[in-house]
């Protein structure tokens, strides 16, 4: 007898030793959480995310010792109308006195009026490590609030790098808590509708949560090899809830179906492992391979997101193959208790399905016309993607629902030099420091009356303690992502900097700052994107070829995944580069999409699409091996998998749509892109494109192999011949 698949052997052990399997899983989750909490998360620094010339500028800055300290500002403006100068001066003096009494404050500068004297700024230098400043900010914020209470005639607010970091970090935490709070009951309701029983509904959610918790701990450990970015926690939650529930759902649905067909519990678990378990392994491996393609970008953001996604998907697959069979074997028929009367009758009614055969009828009766019309519609939805405009996320893209960002807007309006700046970084021998300084002073003079810049009368120069590194900050009036911003950067890099610094022998210089990082980051993505896309396409093809031993199936998978991804990109452009959806989703359009989103979505979608594609095509192949014609096999395979795939798709779309309601633009764009793509993939692709294409191909679907009826031979998995005969595939789902 042919050796059974590893998924079956693992499932059998778990089903026959349930308490051991459950205990090992609990220990695994606890160890992951404890280890991650104990070691902590290593967050990515500016140096980690450095790319191109902006990256060289960051490296030059980091090589110098400047005795840097975090800086905050107390901004005093009028609540309306003209600023009351006496009230503003009194508030500024009170703020300065309060701040000087705090151990977290190293220095308080003299109040600085704005050019139009409608704002007053009190600069504050914080003591201690600037990288930890946001964690020591509460006493300063408390004093600022106290000043505001004592001086109600003016607006008093605090703004600076640490307070912006704190505001964003707090907002991400609130968003994550909101996503958790909403996604759990929504997912439970969907599972109740899918199963009609409370325990059956709770098992997938419980496993998904344990996978997410384990992944949080493991990703903290991994961050000491691959530094983590802020959004990785949100991505782990999003991916973990989606795939964790889906994988468990596939497995549980098949096990339940086999029990209803008269198999004992362990036998039902084995059959589920040979079929759905095999599909889970393939789809999980496809997701991980797709995400691994992001490492080819040589970018810290993509590396962090890829690492977090790979970890949570791997844990979800592991849980589905190990602890889930143990739970099912231990619960037995109690998994269908307690039953929700109406839902139980709806989800367990006998007789052949009625809705899905009707939905499939156009694709199977008129496959050519259905395919052409559907491809035309998807092409129209994807067409706007040709106008995709990318921009790296910056302060201007942060939601103004964060109070400190509204303060930031008032600060940059009153003091333009506090806004977006270019940083000219120069490294030379100490003996060249005076020459470097003279060149930078001359450069500053050339920017003073240039409308591209917002330079003041005096240059903002800093020299490192060893006199090897000199910095010049050149503020600009141009917002990142605009043509003016690129012009201001290009003029510095190609004209002003070379003209002044090439006269100083032996120096190394680079221009950095927010605009430079944006331009260099987007340029790097454009260069690396073909490599990543080629990697994902090739590996997807090889995975499908190895799974189904069919070139036609592998090519079809690439085509269908590309269609759903292209439609998602077109939707992103329609929603986020225009203003019509601002009121619906609660954002302000910048006319751009965040630079890293499309490539990230591409990798995720190619992996997640395997969930449905592998599962559905596997059921079609089962029916074809049972002797049915291609069209009959397609109808039966899609119809029999309709319930589980629809439930899984609803879970994914619901979880992703929740992220579209969060505050951060990155999360909104991920949520919209993924939910649209999964909806199209699960409904349009599966109901119209896949059946019509397979109907047209006929037996060529399985080329270069052949599909022949096997009579009573097992057909559930090519790697396992121990499950039930093919004739059972024609029985109605109860």
């Amino acid at each position: 007898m042919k050796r059974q698949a590893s998924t079956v052997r693992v499932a059998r052990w778990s089903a026959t030793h349930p308490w051991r399997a459950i205990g090992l899983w609990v220990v695994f989750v606890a160890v992951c959480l404890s280890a991650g909490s104990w070691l902590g998360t290593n967050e990515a620094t500016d140096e980690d995310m450095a790319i191109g010339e902006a990256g060289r500028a960051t490296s030059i800055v980091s090589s110098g010792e400047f005795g840097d300290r975090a800086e905050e500002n107390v901004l005093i403006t009028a609540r309306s109308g003209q600023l009351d100068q006496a009230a503003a001066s009194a508030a500024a003096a009170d703020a300065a006195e309060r701040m000087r009494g705090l151990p977290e404050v190293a220095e308080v500068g003299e109040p600085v009026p704005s050019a139009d004297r409608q704002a007053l700024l009190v600069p504050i230098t914080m003591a201690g490590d600037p990288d930890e400043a946001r964690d020591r900010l509460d006493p300063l914020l408390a004093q600022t609030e106290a000043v505001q209470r004592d001086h109600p005639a003016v607006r008093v607010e605090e703004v600076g790098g640490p307070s912006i970091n704190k505001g964003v970090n707090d907002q991400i935490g609130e968003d994550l808590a909101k996503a958790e709070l909403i996604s759990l009951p929504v997912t439970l309701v969907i599972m109740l509708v899918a199963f009609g029983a409370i325990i059956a509904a709770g098992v997938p959610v419980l496993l998904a949560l344990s996978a997410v918790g384990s992944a949080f701990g493991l990703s903290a450990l991994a961050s000491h090899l691959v530094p983590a970015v802020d959004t990785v926690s949100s991505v782990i939650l999003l991916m973990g809830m989606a795939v964790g529930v889906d994988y468990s759902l596939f497995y549980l649905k098949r096990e339940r179906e086999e029990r209803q067909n008269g198999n004992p519990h362990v036998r039902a678990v084995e059959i589920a492992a040979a079929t759905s378990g095999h599909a889970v392994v393939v789809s999980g491996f496809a997701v991980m391979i797709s995400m691994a393609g992001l490492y080819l970008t040589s970018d810290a953001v993509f590396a962090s997101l890829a690492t977090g996604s790979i970890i949570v998907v791997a844990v979800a697959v592991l849980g589905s193959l190990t602890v889930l069979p143990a739970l099912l074997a231990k619960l037995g028929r109690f998994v269908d208790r307690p039953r929700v009367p109406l839902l139980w009758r709806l989800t367990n009614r006998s007789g052949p399905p009625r809705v899905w055969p009707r939905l499939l009828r156009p694709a199977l009766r008129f496959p050519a016309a259905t395919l052409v019309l559907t491809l035309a519609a998807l092409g129209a939805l994807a067409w706007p993607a040709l106008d995709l405009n990318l921009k790296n996320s910056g302060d201007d893209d942060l939601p103004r629902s964060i109070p400190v960002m509204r303060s930031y807007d008032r600060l940059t309006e009153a003091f333009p030099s506090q806004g977006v700046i270019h940083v000219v970084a120069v490294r030379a021998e100490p003996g060249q420091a005076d020459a470097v300084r003279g060149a930078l002073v001359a450069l500053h003079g050339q920017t003073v009356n240039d409308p591209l810049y917002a330079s003041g009368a005096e240059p903002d120069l800093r020299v490192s303690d060893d006199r090897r590194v000199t910095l010049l900050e050149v503020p600009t009036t141009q917002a990142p992502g605009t043509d003016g911003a690129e012009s201001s950067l290009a003029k510095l890099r190609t004209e002003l900097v070379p003209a002044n610094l090439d006269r100083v022998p032996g120096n190394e210089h680079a221009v950095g700052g927010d605009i430079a990082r944006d331009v260099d980051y987007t340029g790097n993505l454009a260069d690396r994107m073909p490599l990543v896309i080629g990697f994902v396409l090739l590996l997807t093809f090889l995975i499908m070829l190895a799974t189904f031993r069919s070139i036609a199936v592998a090519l079809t998978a690439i085509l269908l995944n590309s269609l759903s991804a292209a439609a998602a990109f077109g939707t992103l452009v329609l929603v986020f580069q225009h203003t019509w959806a601002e009121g619906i989703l609660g954002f302000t359009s910048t006319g751009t999409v965040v630079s890293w989103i499309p490539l990230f979505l591409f990798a995720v979608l190619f992996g997640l699409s395997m969930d449905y594609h592998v599962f559905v095509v596997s059921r079609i192949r089962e029916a074809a091996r049972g002797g049915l014609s291609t069209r009959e096999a397609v109808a039966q395979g899609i119809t029999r998998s309709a319930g589980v795939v629809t439930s899984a798709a609803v879970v994914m779309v619901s979880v992703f749509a929740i992220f579209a309601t969060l505050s951060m633009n990155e999360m909104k764009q991920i949520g919209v892109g993924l939910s649209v793509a999964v909806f199209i993939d699960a409904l349009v692709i599966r109901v119209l494109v896949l059946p019509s294409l397979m109907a047209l191909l006929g037996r060529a679907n399985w080329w270069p192999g052949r599909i022949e009826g096997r009579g009573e031979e097992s057909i559930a998995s090519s790697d396992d011949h121990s499950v039930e005969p093919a004739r059972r595939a024609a029985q109605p789902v109860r």
Side-chain angles (χ1 to χ4, degrees):
M1 180 180 289
K2 190 174 181 179
R3 190 182 183 190
Q4 291 179 328
S6 57
T7 56
V8 178
R9 298 197 303 273
V10 171
R12 180 183 295 116
W13 184 90
S14 296
T16 53
H17 304 84
W19 286 121
R20 293 185 190 178
I22 294 170
L24 287 172
W25 182 255
V26 172
V27 170
F28 170 75
V29 174
V31 168
C32 291
L33 286 170
S34 300
S37 177
W38 174 70
L39 198 57
T41 300
N42 176 37
E43 296 184 358
T45 64
D46 289 340
E47 287 184 273
D48 293 323
M49 294 186 281
I51 288 176
E53 183 174 341
R56 295 201 305 275
T58 300
S59 178
I60 292 173
V61 173
S62 299
S63 68
E65 292 292 337
F66 293 92
D68 280 345
R69 290 180 175 177
E71 296 184 355
E72 282 285 288
N73 303 281
V74 174
L75 178 66
I76 302 168
T77 55
R79 291 188 176 278
S80 62
Q82 296 294 310
L83 179 65
D84 185 330
Q85 298 296 328
S89 297
D94 189 11
E97 182 179 355
R98 289 174 180 271
M99 294 297 179
R100 289 190 183 101
L102 296 176
E104 292 82 6
V105 173
E107 182 181 353
V108 179
E110 292 298 318
V112 179
S114 63
D116 60 2
R117 304 191 66 80
Q118 292 305 301
L120 199 58
L121 190 70
V122 180
I124 301 166
T125 302
M126 294 185 66
D129 186 350
D131 293 334
E132 300 175 356
R134 76 180 184 192
D135 299 326
R136 296 177 283 106
L137 198 61
D138 287 342
L140 281 74
L141 295 174
Q143 293 302 328
T144 301
E145 292 175 1
V147 174
Q148 176 65 89
R149 287 195 300 270
D150 292 345
H151 301 271
V154 292
R155 180 191 291 114
V156 182
E157 50 199 344
E158 186 172 330
V159 58
S163 54
I164 290 176
N165 288 340
K166 178 178 172 58
V168 171
N169 196 58
D170 290 347
Q171 187 64 60
I172 290 174
E174 291 177 12
D175 283 354
L176 201 60
K178 176 183 176 182
E180 292 173 347
L181 183 65
I182 299 176
S183 63
L184 285 179
V186 168
T187 305
L188 277 171
V189 169
I190 296 169
M191 290 295 96
L192 277 175
V193 173
F195 289 106
I198 293 176
I199 294 178
V203 167
V205 177
L206 179 63
L207 283 182
L209 288 175
S210 66
V212 169
S214 302
F216 279 149
L218 291 174
S219 66
L221 299 178
S223 70
H224 294 273
L225 295 175
V226 182
V229 296
D230 288 340
T231 51
V232 70
S233 296
S234 298
V235 169
I236 287 174
L237 176 62
L238 181 147
M239 294 284 288
M241 289 302 297
V243 302
V245 170
D246 274 15
Y247 294 162
S248 300
L249 178 62
F250 291 161
Y251 205 110
L252 182 54
K253 276 280 191 178
R254 187 59 184 256
E255 187 270 348
R256 191 192 207 191
E257 180 181 329
E258 298 305 327
R259 279 194 293 105
Q260 291 174 338
N261 285 324
N263 288 291
H265 300 310
V266 174
R267 183 62 172 162
V269 167
E270 290 177 353
I271 297 173
T275 53
S276 295
H278 179 70
V280 164
V281 171
V282 173
S283 62
F285 189 64
V287 175
M288 290 185 278
I289 289 294
S290 295
M291 298 307 300
L294 297 178
Y295 290 122
L296 298 177
T297 60
S298 300
D299 175 72
V301 173
F302 283 120
S304 175
L305 298 180
T307 301
S309 300
I310 289 170
I311 288 173
V312 75
V313 171
V315 174
V317 170
L318 181 65
S320 298
L321 299 181
T322 57
V323 71
L324 182 57
L327 287 171
L328 295 179
K330 196 65 185 173
L331 289 169
R333 296 191 180 278
F334 285 103
V335 76
D336 292 330
R337 302 288 193 276
R339 298 172 179 177
V340 181
L342 178 61
L343 294 179
W344 177 261
R345 287 195 298 272
L346 288 175
T347 58
N348 291 272
R349 65 179 182 85
S350 59
R354 299 175 182 176
V355 175
W356 284 96
R358 293 178 182 174
L359 293 177
L360 292 172
R361 192 172 299 158
L364 296 179
R365 286 191 177 180
F366 313 102
T370 301
L371 183 62
V372 170
L373 290 175
T374 309
L375 290 180
L378 291 175
L381 184 58
W383 185 263
L386 297 176
D387 191 36
L388 186 64
N389 185 18
L390 300 178
K391 175 183 173 294
N392 206 15
S393 182
D395 289 341
D396 290 340
D397 302 295
L398 292 171
R400 266 42 192 177
S401 57
I402 303 176
V404 71
M405 296 314 303
R406 298 195 292 273
S407 304
Y408 172 80
D409 290 340
R410 285 187 281 268
L411 173 69
T412 55
E413 182 181 1
F415 300 89
S417 62
Q418 296 287 330
V420 180
I421 61 170
H422 298 292
V423 178
V424 181
V426 186
R427 181 163 49 201
E429 293 300 319
Q432 297 285 78
D434 291 337
V436 169
R437 179 182 178 85
L440 291 178
V441 169
L443 189 159
H444 167 263
Q446 294 170 345
T447 65
V448 170
N449 296 316
D450 192 319
L452 288 174
Y453 308 104
S455 299
E458 296 297 322
D460 190 349
L461 277 167
R462 288 192 294 161
V463 181
S464 65
D465 296 340
D466 60 3
R467 294 173 57 81
R468 292 181 181 274
V469 179
T470 306
L471 308 179
L472 172 67
E473 293 187 351
V474 182
T476 176
T477 57
Q478 311 301 311
T482 62
D483 292 339
E486 293 191 18
S487 297
S488 69
L489 175 65
K491 187 171 185 177
L492 276 175
R493 284 181 168 176
T494 62
E495 298 179 28
L496 301 182
V497 170
N500 290 281
L501 287 168
D502 284 354
R503 298 196 300 266
V504 181
N507 80 85
E508 177 188 0
H509 57 263
V511 180
D514 291 340
I515 293 173
R517 281 192 291 270
D518 183 17
V519 170
D520 292 348
Y521 190 88
T522 305
N524 177 69
L525 286 186
D527 293 339
R528 297 280 181 164
M529 191 174 292
L531 183 62
V532 176
I533 292 175
F535 176 87
V536 172
L537 292 178
L538 176 61
L539 267 294
T540 300
F541 176 83
L542 293 177
I543 290 170
M544 297 303 292
L545 182 62
T547 302
F548 293 99
R549 295 175 176 85
S550 166
I551 293 176
V553 169
L555 290 175
T556 299
I558 291 176
L559 171 64
L560 300 187
N561 291 354
S562 299
L563 283 173
S564 57
F569 294 163
T571 303
L572 281 180
V573 172
L574 290 173
V575 172
F576 292 99
Q577 290 186 197
H578 300 84
T579 59
W580 66 270
E582 288 182 336
I584 300 172
L585 295 178
F587 73 100
T588 300
S589 175
T590 61
T592 61
V593 172
V594 177
S595 298
W596 58 269
I597 295 292
L599 196 56
F600 175 75
L601 288 182
F602 177 83
V604 172
L605 292 174
F606 254 76
L608 291 182
S609 294
M610 291 301 100
D611 271 355
Y612 310 122
H613 200 76
V614 171
F615 192 77
V616 172
V617 175
S618 294
R619 296 304 291 260
I620 294 173
R621 184 175 64 170
E622 285 186 34
R625 282 177 169 170
L628 298 180
S629 69
T630 299
R631 297 196 185 197
E632 290 172 335
V634 169
Q636 187 179 102
I638 294 178
T639 299
R640 289 180 62 81
S641 61
V644 63
V645 172
T646 301
S647 299
V650 171
V651 169
M652 277 198 179
V653 170
S654 300
V655 171
F656 295 154
I658 289 168
F659 277 75
T661 68
L662 303 184
S663 302
M664 309 302 290
N665 267 1
E666 292 95 330
M667 291 299 102
K668 287 183 183 294
Q669 292 176 11
I670 288 176
V672 169
L674 288 178
S675 58
V676 167
V678 170
F679 177 82
I680 291 173
D681 190 65
L683 187 62
V684 180
I685 299 294
R686 180 165 51 99
V687 175
L688 299 173
V689 182
L690 176 63
S692 60
L693 186 57
M694 293 191 78
L696 288 173
L697 290 174
R699 293 289 176 178
N701 280 294
W702 317 110
W703 182 83
R706 290 189 305 168
I707 292 290
E708 296 177 351
R710 297 186 180 183
E712 296 299 308
E713 186 180 353
S714 169
I715 50 83
S717 171
S718 60
D719 298 320
D720 179 70
H721 297 286
S722 62
V723 295
E724 292 301 303
R727 58 182 167 80
R728 203 165 31 76
Q731 296 178 359
V733 180
R734 290 187 291 273

